[in-house]
């Protein structure tokens, strides 16, 4: 299963991102593998946190270990 959508808010971007990380870290799925680890990787990536990213952000390096084989 894939985590499809999550929404958080904050007084600024940093607070919203902290809340999203906390929500993702507290999310538990028993059974099948999910894409939650990928979201955690994204929300902990320095360039994403600084807002310095574009469409190349989802590079093979970021997605390593998450591609269907």
């Amino acid at each position: 299963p894939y985590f499809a959508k999550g929404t958080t808010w904050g007084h600024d971007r940093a607070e919203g991102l902290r809340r999203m990380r906390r929500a993702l870290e507290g999310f538990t799925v028993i059974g099948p593998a999910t894409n939650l680890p990928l979201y955690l990787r994204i929300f902990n990536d320095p360039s994403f946190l600084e807002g310095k990213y574009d469409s190349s952000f989802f590079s093979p390096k970021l997605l390593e270990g998450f591609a269907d084989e």
Side-chain angles (χ1 to χ4, degrees):
Y2 290 97
F3 179 76
K5 184 177 183 179
T7 305
T8 57
W9 63 273
H11 291 97
D12 57 21
R13 176 179 169 81
E15 182 181 12
L17 291 170
R18 281 192 304 273
R19 288 179 177 196
M20 179 57 80
R21 278 196 309 275
R22 187 173 52 224
L24 291 170
E25 289 167 353
F27 202 97
T28 302
V29 176
I30 298 172
T34 70
N35 64 344
L36 289 170
L38 175 59
Y39 280 99
L40 282 168
R41 184 180 289 182
I42 292 167
F43 281 94
N44 284 300
D45 184 274
S47 61
F48 185 82
L49 295 174
E50 294 172 15
K52 297 178 180 177
Y53 59 93
D54 58 23
S55 60
S56 66
F57 178 75
F58 292 99
S59 66
K61 180 182 175 193
L62 177 74
L63 299 174
E64 188 175 300
F66 292 99
D68 292 334
E69 296 183 14

